[in-house]
Amino acid sequence: MRKRTAFFILIWIHIYLFAQQGQNSILLVERSVDRPLTVHKNQLQINAGYDFSMLSRRIDESGNIVNLSEAGIASAMHTFPLNIKYGILEFLEISAGTSYKKSGMRSEDYWTFSGSSKLHIQEINEHKGLEDMFMKMGLRLPFNLKSFDWSVSGSVTLPVAKYKPDKPDHEVILVEPVYDSYKFTYHYNNRFGTGVPTFKIRSAAKFRTERTAIIASADYFKPFSSGENIHWKSRRIYEEFEYTGLPYKYLPSQVISCSGAFTYQAIAWFSQYIIIDYYKIYGGWSELTGKRVANEKRNYMFISFGFEIQVSPYLRLSQLVELPGWGNNTDAPICFATNLSFNILTSK
Amino acid sequence: MLKRITDCLRLKGLISESIKKPVFLFVFIALSNFITAQTDRHGIPAELKQQTVISEPSTMRKGFLRIGVIYSHSLLDKYFDENGQKMSYYGSSTSQGRTYAVSVEYGITDRLEADVSMSYANGFINSTQALDNLYFDTIITVYADIKTRGFGDLNFGFDYQIIKENSIMPSLTALTRVTIPTGEKNITDVKDEFNFNEPAGNGEFNASLDLLLKKIKYPFSFDLRIGAVYYFGGEKIFEPFEETKSFKTGTFIYIDGGINFNLNDWIALENEIAYHNFGRKEVDGEYKHDYIPWNISYNPKLNFQLKRFRLVECVTIPLSGKGENADPAYIFIIQYVF
């Protein structure tokens, strides 16, 4: 009898452990189209990646494409995003994230000739640093429907990132003393912080079939308040520059955006997707010029193509390319993004 | 047969009756190892052609043919100056270097591999400059359009596994390459000093020798390579409206190593750190720089092994250097083993 009981307990433990493992792997290798709009209960997801953006075109206020290399501007941007999500309940997640960015916008060389003397002027606008950190809470339908899911989330960005520009590094070199010829290099050092707290609300709906899914979402972004920043004025004294930081007030623009993502699950571990994003940027003002001037209204739509691979139960790899669509008053970069997503269930 | 071997040894007085059983066991184990090794050596070719970059040997197996298409994309935005500081290029120049290459690798024996590769360049540099003449009160905008289009130089060579890998020692492979300057070496189609075509070829012969150590410890592999390229010099036109100048590129020395591993059965991640010393280039008998340009880069590679297809994505990220570009470059490779 004891032997039989021991054997029964052994079998039961084995089944229990196996079932737990199965549940884990089912949740972590869930196909892209089957995933809910929030992470599962106790699921920890860490997303990190690298985005490279190349800016060679801009869309003007009439919607015409401007080739920036012909207009005398060149720019590239490197972004390293990081965000962490955790499922408190099966239908409630929290997340936080930020990204580190670097970009430089170079303007055309400007030569001025006057008699035998000449001036050579170069300018670069660098942006470098962390973006503000966001903290988000997302809620989805508390029951599982086979073909539909819906979520709503709210997030705040805290102005923890540096936002005031560092002193510029302007330089003047006397190139040819006889002809009184100089080379001026204007180098501005800007930051990516917003400087004011902001909030964003979002709602998304997911419709799915056996092999496809469509996610439609809408976002609204607004700053809580206006902020104060400084603008560096420079004055040349012989071969040195003297800088004065002039304060000015500003209010960041509001943004309404919507997105449609179509996913096709080709095989269990590979899915392809197409995303269309639309942004409308409006409102806000700046006193940079000494007078309060409204920010430019901008519209922008872009299309992204990408894929996701389930590398292992813990690791997902996705890549996408963003192509400029249409709009007005906006930059139109081409962006290549790679993201690694690490997923674990912290408790069974 | 084993019994016959031990009986024979006993009869010759080499072993006693008491140690007959252990010897028998030893011979049996030795033979079984030998038989297993033979089975491994003669694996199914279709499976061997699907090995990932982690588990494959340093050279192609006999009769295997691998054809690959390589696309690389680079741009100019930043550089390391002579003090090692990362600086931005000034001016509005937009530069994109795009190169397409075809490579063929063939296993002549299990240790000897032949390689041939050829590239086609398709890049450009665009920039604008404003010339403001105060005396005449005029501003002229000069638009520079420099293209690079055409076939590059032809590379061929042989790789030989000097030491094959065993359970303790890594494999040691010698890689040799020769470059024949088949591509255009001079500036062509010169319209003015800002509008012309850059050559796709380098214009000089070169020969290289690499030594590669590789050790597989599944799911990991470790490799270390040291190599040098010697340039024989040549003559070409460097700038528009200039005469031909003699030149000789400095000897290029490199050391790279990586810890690589399989993320799953068919995806591998290679992590390579590389040091490049570019040597000093001479033009008309004078050194171009008064320092030796060098850089250190981190080159992660993602390998997707889909049956006999292999897709490789690589980004080279310069970490440090002197007198060299500091921009990442992207490389995409598709290969198929026949």
Side-chain angles (χ1 to χ4, degrees):
Chain A
M1 183 65 192
R2 269 172 64 188
K3 270 187 182 173
R4 200 177 290 174
T5 308
F7 180 72
F8 177 76
I9 291 169
L10 197 71
I11 294 284
W12 184 83
I13 288 171
H14 174 78
I15 290 169
Y16 174 79
L17 289 174
F18 188 77
Q20 285 300 307
Q21 275 183 348
Q23 191 192 1
N24 272 359
S25 48
I26 286 170
L27 291 179
L28 294 178
V29 300
E30 210 171 23
R31 300 184 316 160
S32 174
V33 292
D34 294 335
R35 275 176 223 146
L37 287 167
T38 59
V39 294
H40 292 288
K41 184 183 177 184
N42 296 327
Q43 183 181 349
L44 176 69
Q45 186 178 82
I46 301 168
N47 299 300
Y50 169 64
D51 304 351
F52 171 70
S53 302
M54 199 166 49
L55 182 61
S56 58
R57 285 184 167 81
R58 188 179 158 78
I59 304 172
D60 69 12
E61 58 188 1
S62 310
N64 300 315
I65 302 279
V66 178
N67 185 340
L68 291 180
S69 62
E70 287 175 13
I73 296 169
S75 177
M77 181 153 74
H78 307 274
T79 307
F80 302 88
L82 173 74
N83 78 68
I84 298 169
K85 293 180 180 177
Y86 183 73
I88 296 173
L89 297 170
E90 192 57 30
F91 55 90
L92 177 67
E93 73 168 21
I94 53 168
S95 61
T98 184
S99 53
Y100 179 79
K101 287 181 166 184
K102 283 197 295 186
S103 84
M105 185 170 276
R106 292 173 276 125
S107 302
E108 71 182 356
D109 282 13
Y110 198 93
W111 297 80
T112 304
F113 301 93
S114 174
S116 58
S117 73
K118 61 185 174 193
L119 298 179
H120 179 193
I121 299 164
Q122 299 180 319
E123 187 180 312
I124 181 162
N125 249 300
E126 269 196 334
H127 284 76
K128 189 161 57 172
L130 285 170
E131 279 193 318
D132 290 336
M133 190 178 81
F134 74 84
M135 296 175 81
K136 182 174 145 186
M137 185 173 276
L139 197 68
R140 74 173 183 90
L141 291 177
F143 42 83
N144 291 324
L145 294 174
K146 194 182 173 186
S147 56
F148 179 71
D149 195 13
W150 178 76
S151 75
V152 62
S153 64
S155 65
V156 288
T157 50
L158 307 172
V160 289
K162 221 173 163 184
Y163 67 98
K164 288 185 176 171
D166 291 341
K167 260 186 198 173
D169 293 321
H170 300 337
E171 208 176 38
V172 57
I173 301 168
L174 182 60
V175 184
E176 294 170 80
V178 180
Y179 300 109
D180 201 23
S181 294
Y182 289 91
K183 181 180 174 183
F184 286 84
T185 303
Y186 294 104
H187 191 144
Y188 299 95
N189 300 306
N190 301 301
R191 297 287 172 172
F192 278 104
T194 314
V196 293
T198 63
F199 75 91
K200 186 158 100 170
I201 51 170
R202 174 187 170 88
S203 182
K206 184 170 185 173
F207 308 89
R208 55 188 164 224
T209 65
E210 179 57 29
R211 279 180 173 261
T212 59
I214 292 171
I215 298 175
S217 64
D219 298 60
Y220 173 66
F221 168 93
K222 192 179 186 306
F224 278 114
S225 63
S226 61
E228 191 174 294
N229 206 331
I230 53 165
H231 168 63
W232 291 103
K233 283 270 184 196
S234 60
R235 191 165 67 118
R236 183 193 151 209
I237 301 169
Y238 299 106
E239 290 181 18
E240 294 292 325
F241 279 91
E242 189 182 84
Y243 306 102
T244 314
L246 302 175
Y248 69 94
K249 289 189 173 174
Y250 65 98
L251 177 71
S253 300
Q254 298 170 49
V255 183
I256 290 177
S257 66
C258 51
S259 163
F262 174 78
T263 306
Y264 176 69
Q265 191 80 44
I267 41 179
W269 47 264
F270 181 79
S271 59
Q272 298 153 280
Y273 49 86
I274 299 172
I275 306 170
I276 297 174
D277 287 280
Y278 171 76
Y279 285 84
K280 182 183 170 68
I281 300 163
Y282 65 98
W285 45 261
S286 167
E287 293 177 351
L288 182 68
T289 55
K291 290 179 182 174
R292 183 169 292 190
V293 178
N295 293 342
E296 271 184 339
K297 283 181 186 170
R298 290 185 281 159
N299 291 293
Y300 186 37
M301 202 195 85
F302 60 88
I303 304 168
S304 313
F305 301 90
F307 65 85
E308 186 200 90
I309 293 173
Q310 184 83 43
V311 176
S312 74
Y314 304 105
L315 195 64
R316 296 169 195 158
L317 166 77
S318 60
Q319 290 191 309
L320 69 81
V321 55
E322 276 176 20
L323 301 173
W326 56 87
N328 58 29
N329 274 333
T330 185
D331 295 335
I334 296 175
C335 179
F336 302 90
T338 298
N339 185 65
L340 283 172
S341 175
F342 181 71
N343 294 269
I344 50 167
L345 287 175
T346 53
S347 63
K348 291 174 182 176
Chain B
M1 191 184 82
L2 288 169
K3 192 172 183 307
R4 207 179 294 162
I5 293 166
T6 48
D7 284 347
C8 179
L9 291 169
R10 185 169 53 82
L11 286 170
K12 286 183 176 178
L14 292 171
I15 57 168
S16 67
E17 191 67 33
S18 61
I19 59 163
K20 186 180 159 187
K21 274 186 183 169
V23 170
F24 182 85
L25 194 67
F26 175 77
V27 173
F28 180 76
I29 290 169
L31 267 177
S32 84
N33 274 346
F34 177 72
I35 291 162
T36 309
Q38 285 297 310
T39 309
D40 189 43
R41 184 178 153 80
H42 297 112
I44 304 163
E47 285 179 2
L48 296 176
K49 287 173 183 176
Q50 298 175 25
Q51 282 186 312
T52 63
V53 69
I54 303 296
S55 51
E56 70 176 8
S58 304
T59 57
M60 298 290 290
R61 287 187 170 82
K62 184 181 177 183
F64 285 17
L65 174 71
R66 179 188 283 149
I67 294 180
V69 178
I70 303 153
Y71 169 71
S72 64
H73 192 115
S74 60
L75 73 157
L76 294 180
D77 187 45
K78 296 199 185 272
Y79 68 99
F80 294 111
D81 68 7
E82 64 270 24
N83 301 315
Q85 295 286 319
K86 199 185 238 188
M87 307 292 285
S88 281
Y89 284 106
Y90 285 97
S92 64
S93 63
T94 303
S95 163
Q96 286 188 39
R98 291 179 291 222
T99 310
Y100 309 87
V102 176
S103 71
V104 180
E105 301 160 53
Y106 181 72
I108 298 167
T109 70
D110 273 357
R111 288 185 162 197
L112 182 65
E113 174 188 312
D115 296 273
V116 182
S117 67
M118 180 78 165
S119 62
Y120 180 84
N122 180 14
F124 66 84
I125 300 172
N126 291 151
S127 70
T128 56
Q129 293 188 60
L131 311 179
D132 182 0
N133 194 322
L134 297 178
Y135 186 76
F136 294 108
D137 197 19
T138 55
I139 297 177
I140 301 167
T141 299
V142 177
Y143 182 65
D145 183 17
I146 301 166
K147 291 187 179 75
T148 309
R149 272 182 201 156
F151 286 98
D153 298 334
L154 177 73
N155 302 289
F156 68 90
F158 295 94
D159 302 346
Y160 183 72
Q161 272 192 70
I162 300 164
I163 300 170
K164 286 197 96 172
E165 184 176 346
N166 60 37
S167 58
I168 302 163
M169 293 294 291
S171 65
L172 174 65
T173 308
L175 301 91
T176 59
R177 293 285 181 282
V178 171
T179 302
I180 299 172
T182 49
E184 176 60 56
K185 64 176 181 178
N186 291 317
I187 284 172
T188 54
D189 200 17
V190 178
K191 295 182 183 76
D192 56 53
E193 61 182 311
F194 301 109
N195 291 278
F196 55 87
N197 286 355
E198 282 271 21
N202 193 36
E204 67 183 322
F205 283 90
N206 72 56
S208 71
L209 173 67
D210 299 4
L211 290 174
L212 170 69
L213 285 169
K214 179 175 180 179
K215 178 73 189 157
I216 301 166
K217 199 85 181 168
Y218 195 82
F220 293 91
S221 81
F222 308 89
D223 53 61
L224 180 67
R225 185 173 65 150
I226 182 163
V229 186
Y230 181 80
Y231 292 87
F232 294 91
E235 286 187 336
K236 67 176 178 181
I237 299 167
F238 283 90
E239 299 289 338
F241 310 115
E242 275 191 1
E243 295 296 311
T244 301
K245 288 179 178 173
S246 65
F247 72 100
K248 186 173 178 297
T249 307
T251 302
F252 175 38
I253 298 166
Y254 43 92
I255 301 168
D256 56 59
I259 299 171
N260 320 308
F261 52 91
N262 273 101
L263 295 170
N264 62 17
D265 286 346
W266 57 277
I267 302 180
L269 178 67
E270 293 180 82
N271 289 285
E272 183 187 271
I273 295 279
Y275 166 76
H276 300 131
N277 184 312
F278 295 92
R280 292 173 76 181
K281 188 172 186 173
E282 283 178 55
V283 179
D284 266 352
E286 288 183 9
Y287 287 121
K288 199 177 167 191
H289 303 291
D290 54 3
Y291 57 88
I292 298 173
W294 60 271
N295 76 3
I296 293 173
S297 63
Y298 168 58
N299 313 321
K301 287 180 203 168
L302 264 175
N303 282 261
F304 302 91
Q305 188 72 41
L306 304 167
K307 302 282 184 186
R308 294 185 189 188
F309 273 106
R310 181 179 293 168
L311 309 180
V312 185
E313 285 190 289
C314 172
V315 179
T316 62
I317 305 164
L319 303 174
S320 180
K322 196 180 209 184
E324 275 298 309
N325 290 331
D327 296 304
Y330 174 78
I331 299 163
F332 181 71
I333 304 170
I334 301 178
Q335 293 174 325
Y336 185 82
V337 178
F338 293 92

